[in-house]
Amino acid sequence: MASSLVAALFLAAGVSAANNCSIETFQAFFDANGTNAHVVYARHFAENSTFVNPNVTSVVIPTQLPATCAVQVNATTDADTHFSFGVFLPDDWNDRFFHAAQEGEDIDWVDMAVGLRYGFATVATDTGHTGSDMVGTWWENPESINDWAWRANHLTSVLGKFIVEKFYNQKPKYSYFAGCSTGGRQAMKETQAFPGDYDGVIAACPAYWTTHQQLFNLKQTLFQAPEGSAHTIPTEMFEVISEEATRQCDPQDGLVDNIISDPLGCDFDYTPLLCTTSKNSSCLTGSQLETLHKIYSDWVETNQTFVYAHALYGSEAMWDESGLYGNGSETNIATQLWYPEHILGLTNFTADELDYSLVEYADKTNPGNSNANDYDLAEFYRNGGKLIQYHGHSDAIVPPGIGLWYREHLAAALAPQGIDIDDFYRFFLIPGMEHCGSTPSNMNASWYIAGPTQASSLSSSLYSVPGYHDAKHDVLLALVDWVENGVAPQYIIGSNFNSTVDFTVNTIDKQRPICAYPKQARYTGSGDINAAANFECRSLY
Ligand SMILES: *[C@@H]1O[C@H](CO)[C@@H](O)[C@H](O)[C@H]1NC(C)=O
Ligand SMILES: *[C@@H]1O[C@H](CO)[C@@H](O)[C@H](O)[C@H]1NC(C)=O
Ligand SMILES: *[C@@H]1O[C@H](CO)[C@@H](O)[C@H](O)[C@H]1NC(C)=O
Ligand SMILES: *[C@@H]1O[C@H](CO)[C@@H](O)[C@H](O)[C@H]1NC(C)=O
Ligand SMILES: *[C@@H]1O[C@H](CO)[C@@H](O)[C@H](O)[C@H]1NC(C)=O
Ligand SMILES: *[C@@H]1O[C@H](CO)[C@@H](O)[C@H](O)[C@H]1NC(C)=O
Ligand SMILES: *[C@@H]1O[C@H](CO)[C@@H](O)[C@H](O)[C@H]1NC(C)=O
Ligand SMILES: *[C@@H]1O[C@H](CO)[C@@H](O)[C@H](O)[C@H]1NC(C)=O
Ligand SMILES: *[C@@H]1O[C@H](CO)[C@@H](O)[C@H](O)[C@H]1NC(C)=O
Ligand SMILES: *[C@@H]1O[C@H](CO)[C@@H](O)[C@H](O)[C@H]1NC(C)=O
Ligand SMILES: CC(=O)N[C@H]1CO[C@H](CO)[C@@H](O)[C@@H]1O
Ligand SMILES: [Ca+2]
């Protein structure tokens, strides 16, 4: 009797607060607690509204919102530094707190809205500056680098949970964090530096080893430089290389389906690409082949010192994206100079100064402590935390091998402490997925496992997997099931939509299990190769 009365009172409080979505309401929460934060925006949105916020500079906005209160808060971190964070407080809340990483140029309201569609109270921060990380002057204050590297996310977690508790008169029962790329780094950083902040974390394609990642991206552009050299592979040849990789590596995984499902296991022969006396077009010269060999090889320095993993067979469709390998032009190189120039603070840095001593310098200074390569997750594990990490095989920006590096070092750090990483960690390699999402058009692999980044990359109103709203198909629901019910995902079924505008159960034309590493999905030998049921997870090595 007593407990149901208490529940009824809480419910009543929650409902009245939900109907009072004003700047004053939220400012009063902070003021009463003596917290130095300024509420700059608050507005309630009825179901199916399009989000509007005059404080938002980004162009992408969520549509078809569930009924929610939206709040934006500005908080200071140091004398001259501040960050902003957004909060969605759903009318119909399911007691969970969700933090979407910053992946774009502002508070990621679209990713937040995905979390909202799951019924979660959601937050996200701009990490202290708006616009791309690579432009502006935000790095001039070292305190801003701290905000970007870790502080804004941690404080958003603290202040966000505070708002949620005050608004609903109840603490969130479970807290989750998810992000991809630089957001994946943020996910790893939170897990490592603040192991009590979240119960479940998804680190997708994480660019976690900042110092090495950023210098690797610069090094990639240099393989092809100077533009038009004898060793420069013409960008038109990327497709020819891709076709050759598919020709050789597609069958090696056991099923001819245009998808290279085991690029790490592919034994690739370069010679069919070489120009000969009988073949002088659509081929590579000896020196171009050497460039290709560099692209497909780890960055290793003297004495077998590993610096970074390489792009895999099947990633060629991305090589010209963002000028990554591109044509070796000064423009492509200049794009990648922001890290040494502005974050490492090496004024007037030029690309020819990139050598191993620069990597050592970056590791030693590690501005803002942004590296998220602490392998000891014992405390996160002891708190009951669960971490899902995934990478796409066709990602040329953050090659999946660097994810494997983390997994191996995590295991090595925890085994001596008697901790089996299987008890709290799952690693997935997604065949045919590029960076965070999408698949090369010559593969059409079933890469989609939902979660905020993937859903928001397709549409401003999508969430989960249409028709398959469950833990077997949706990575975020898989994480929730693991944290709350102890059901660890052994695989997640990936889907492919055969439309670029219509994302419904009717446009899902292909599904396959994506198996927890080291297992891989293998065709059972009979039935539709586009149906997940005809695949099983097997250990291959
Ligand atoms: C709404 O907020 C105002 C200002 O903080 C407060 O005076 C009022 O009591 C609130 N109303 C409800 C129903 O919570
Ligand atoms: C609220 O106030 C308490 C007591 O001063 C403090 O410990 C806590 O950190 C404050 N919470 C926030 C979110 O500022
Ligand atoms: C919101 O849109 C959905 C789907 O179009 C519809 O089923 C629902 O009735 C709408 N809700 C309101 C309040 O208009
Ligand atoms: C946050 O506060 C800073 C410092 O007062 C200000 O420059 C900035 O415009 C504020 N941001 C928003 C969104 O109000
Ligand atoms: C090589 O290219 C030249 C010029 O394009 C062409 O004339 C010649 O026939 C080619 N040789 C062979 C062996 O294909
Ligand atoms: C490589 O190893 C050798 C032998 O241990 C050592 O003398 C040398 O200084 C090392 N070189 C570098 C660049 O670390
Ligand atoms: C090389 O790439 C740059 C940047 O993408 C582009 O502006 C330029 O036109 C390219 N050069 C050639 C010769 O295609
Ligand atoms: C960097 O280059 C600018 C413009 O060429 C020059 O004015 C400045 O002195 C240089 N700074 C350093 C530290 O070399
Ligand atoms: C991939 O899908 C696109 C569009 O749905 C289609 O045009 C293309 O032929 C497909 N490619 C393969 C290899 O199936
Ligand atoms: C897309 O997939 C659906 C479901 O398998 C199928 O019915 C439809 O014909 C496909 N459309 C195209 C254009 O391939
Ligand atoms: C800086 C800025 O644009 N602030 C606006 C944020 O949103 C509130 C509520 O709509 C406006 O009053 C502010 O002017
Ligand atoms: Ca294959």
Side-chain angles (χ1 to χ4, degrees), residues 31-194:
D31 294 348
N33 202 62
T35 307
N36 183 13
H38 299 280
V39 182
V40 296
Y41 172 87
R43 186 185 146 169
H44 189 266
F45 291 92
E47 187 178 323
N48 293 340
S49 305
T50 292
F51 182 65
V52 286
N53 178 347
N55 296 288
V56 171
T57 52
S58 67
V59 286
V60 189
I61 48 164
T63 57
Q64 285 177 263
L65 289 173
T68 187
C69 174
V71 187
Q72 189 176 337
V73 179
N74 206 353
T76 51
T77 51
D78 203 76
D80 299 316
T81 48
H82 55 86
F83 69 98
S84 210
F85 69 96
V87 192
F88 277 136
L89 299 155
D91 286 12
D92 194 2
W93 184 46
N94 65 13
D95 300 345
R96 297 179 180 96
F97 181 79
F98 178 77
H99 187 156
Q102 198 272 359
E103 287 156 11
E105 310 205 334
D106 203 337
I107 292 169
D108 202 330
W109 294 97
V110 185
D111 278 16
M112 280 174 65
V114 179
L116 178 64
R117 294 175 212 285
Y118 287 88
F120 305 163
T122 65
V123 295
T125 173
D126 62 2
T127 70
H129 61 271
T130 53
S132 161
D133 285 352
M134 293 158 102
V135 299
T137 54
W138 65 269
W139 46 71
E140 285 172 4
N141 186 336
E143 293 297 342
S144 295
I145 299 184
N146 288 329
D147 289 345
W148 162 76
W150 58 270
R151 190 164 48 190
N153 271 311
H154 172 60
L155 291 176
T156 294
S157 169
V158 173
L159 297 176
K161 285 178 187 171
F162 172 81
I163 284 192
V164 168
E165 182 183 350
K166 293 290 175 194
F167 189 70
Y168 295 109
N169 274 321
Q170 186 196 308
K171 279 187 200 297
K173 288 200 178 121
Y174 298 98
S175 299
Y176 299 94
F177 189 108
C180 194
S181 192
T182 186
R185 182 197 66 81
Q186 294 161 40
M188 306 272 277
K189 192 73 200 175
E190 266 291 313
T191 306
Q192 295 161 19
F194 303 98

Side-chain angles (χ1 to χ4, degrees), residues 94-427:
N94 65 13
D95 300 345
R96 297 179 180 96
F97 181 79
F98 178 77
H99 187 156
Q102 198 272 359
E103 287 156 11
E105 310 205 334
D106 203 337
I107 292 169
D108 202 330
W109 294 97
V110 185
D111 278 16
M112 280 174 65
V114 179
L116 178 64
R117 294 175 212 285
Y118 287 88
F120 305 163
T122 65
V123 295
T125 173
D126 62 2
T127 70
H129 61 271
T130 53
S132 161
D133 285 352
M134 293 158 102
V135 299
T137 54
W138 65 269
W139 46 71
E140 285 172 4
N141 186 336
E143 293 297 342
S144 295
I145 299 184
N146 288 329
D147 289 345
W148 162 76
W150 58 270
R151 190 164 48 190
N153 271 311
H154 172 60
L155 291 176
T156 294
S157 169
V158 173
L159 297 176
K161 285 178 187 171
F162 172 81
I163 284 192
V164 168
E165 182 183 350
K166 293 290 175 194
F167 189 70
Y168 295 109
N169 274 321
Q170 186 196 308
K171 279 187 200 297
K173 288 200 178 121
Y174 298 98
S175 299
Y176 299 94
F177 189 108
C180 194
S181 192
T182 186
R185 182 197 66 81
Q186 294 161 40
M188 306 272 277
K189 192 73 200 175
E190 266 291 313
T191 306
Q192 295 161 19
F194 303 98
D197 278 0
Y198 293 98
D199 302 300
V201 175
I202 297 171
C205 320
Y208 70 89
W209 196 350
T210 311
T211 51
H212 289 219
Q213 170 73 48
Q214 299 307 326
L215 297 179
F216 166 71
N217 288 148
L218 173 59
K219 193 174 180 75
Q220 285 177 302
T221 65
L222 295 175
F223 286 141
Q224 290 275 74
E227 186 176 359
S229 304
H231 69 266
T232 308
I233 303 171
T235 51
E236 312 84 81
M237 280 301 294
F238 293 173
E239 200 177 326
V240 175
I241 297 166
S242 170
E243 279 164 17
E244 185 58 29
T246 303
R247 194 184 67 79
Q248 293 190 38
C249 303
D250 170 14
Q252 289 193 35
D253 62 30
L255 178 65
V256 179
D257 57 353
N258 290 319
I259 302 168
I260 301 175
S261 291
D262 187 18
L264 287 157
C266 179
D267 185 11
F268 187 70
D269 176 8
Y270 290 74
T271 50
L273 288 165
L274 188 62
C275 299
T276 61
T277 46
S278 60
K279 178 183 170 196
N280 68 5
S281 66
S282 288
C283 61
L284 299 178
T285 64
S287 63
Q288 290 168 347
L289 218 54
E290 275 179 37
T291 301
L292 183 62
H293 191 258
K294 285 182 190 166
I295 292 174
Y296 286 144
S297 302
D298 284 348
W299 179 1
V300 177
E301 291 286 344
T302 323
N303 291 350
Q304 271 67 57
T305 307
F306 174 88
V307 182
Y308 220 68
H310 61 90
L312 302 181
Y313 313 118
S315 66
E316 302 79 16
M318 280 196 76
W319 289 3
D320 202 17
E321 254 179 52
S322 333
L324 208 57
Y325 294 101
N327 55 20
S329 70
E330 288 298 325
T331 317
N332 291 345
I333 295 166
T335 311
Q336 302 300 338
L337 292 179
W338 73 282
Y339 184 77
E341 250 191 85
H342 304 306
I343 306 298
L344 295 180
L346 303 170
T347 318
N348 296 351
F349 178 85
T350 56
D352 56 14
E353 296 170 71
L354 174 61
D355 62 14
Y356 187 57
S357 71
L358 181 70
V359 179
E360 291 179 308
Y361 176 76
D363 282 344
K364 199 175 75 193
T365 53
N366 186 19
N369 195 13
S370 71
N371 272 348
N373 63 339
D374 177 351
Y375 304 109
D376 187 351
L377 297 184
E379 196 178 336
F380 179 73
Y381 161 78
R382 286 193 205 99
N383 287 340
K386 303 286 184 282
L387 173 62
I388 292 178
Q389 185 180 350
Y390 68 80
H391 287 259
H393 273 154
S394 298
D395 185 348
I397 297 178
V398 181
I402 206 63
L404 279 172
W405 175 273
Y406 190 85
R407 183 182 181 277
E408 283 161 17
H409 286 73
L410 176 68
L414 297 190
Q417 303 182 56
I419 302 169
D420 179 352
I421 60 171
D422 265 8
D423 290 344
F424 77 103
Y425 174 81
R426 283 289 179 283
F427 182 84

